[in-house]
């Protein structure tokens, strides 16, 4: 997200919650466009650009482009988390912010136990999954 545009000066107008331009990036066209028909109050105040690209490749933006990078509930799909985080840091402005929400190691223990039991029943044992 680009939260401020220097060209607009001190008394910036427009934007939604401080965000004036929003770039959404996902490797899935369907996920990226699944809710475009749902109106968002004030959405016309913020330009939104949707880009289909592989999140694990180099991001197609110059260094220091964004004020804010947000990822909510998708980083658990990433194979090389350190590289993705380095890329996020690269595209952030020096005083930028990164906000992440992801499934952690101690999350959903009941589901983990159920999956282990199912794999033991079907496969006769458990093996690591990456």
């Amino acid at each position: 997200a680009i939260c401020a545009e220097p060209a607009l000066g001190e008394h910036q107008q427009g934007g939604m919650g401080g965000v004036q331009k929003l770039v959404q990036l996902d490797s899935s066209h369907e996920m990226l466009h699944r809710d475009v028909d749902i109106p968002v109050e004030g959405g016309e105040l913020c330009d939104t650009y949707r880009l289909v690209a592989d999140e694990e490749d180099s991001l197609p933006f110059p260094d220091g482009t964004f004020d804010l990078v947000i990822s909510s509930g998708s980083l658990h799909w990433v194979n090389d988390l350190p590289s993705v985080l380095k890329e996020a840091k690269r595209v952030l402005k020096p005083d930028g912010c990164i906000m992440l929400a992801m499934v952690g190691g101690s999350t959903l223990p009941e589901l983990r136990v159920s999956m282990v039991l199912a794999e033991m029943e079907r496969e006769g044992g458990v093996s690591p999954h990456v």
Side-chain angles (χ1 to χ4, degrees), residues 27-122:
S27 58
S28 167
H29 181 273
E30 291 75 22
M31 288 300 293
L32 197 58
H33 293 87
R34 72 174 192 165
D35 295 330
V36 295
D37 58 334
I38 299 173
V40 175
E41 184 177 337
E44 70 281 356
L45 301 173
C46 178
D47 292 333
T48 299
Y49 177 72
R50 291 175 178 84
L51 176 65
V52 177
D54 187 346
E55 302 94 333
E56 295 192 58
D57 285 343
S58 294
L59 296 173
F61 307 105
D63 296 358
T65 299
F66 299 103
D67 295 296
L68 175 65
V69 172
I70 301 171
S71 177
S72 179
S74 62
L75 288 178
H76 62 282
W77 294 108
V78 171
N79 293 309
D80 186 3
L81 188 57
S83 293
V84 169
L85 295 176
K86 285 179 189 175
E87 258 316 272
K89 183 179 178 186
R90 182 187 66 77
V91 299
L92 275 175
K93 292 180 180 177
D95 61 345
C97 177
I98 185 166
M99 295 175 56
L100 309 172
M102 62 187 290
V103 177
S106 298
T107 305
L108 304 173
E110 297 86 359
L111 178 60
R112 186 180 328 261
V113 169
S114 297
M115 298 296 280
V116 167
L117 291 173
E119 188 171 359
M120 287 175 59
E121 181 181 306
R122 292 181 176 263

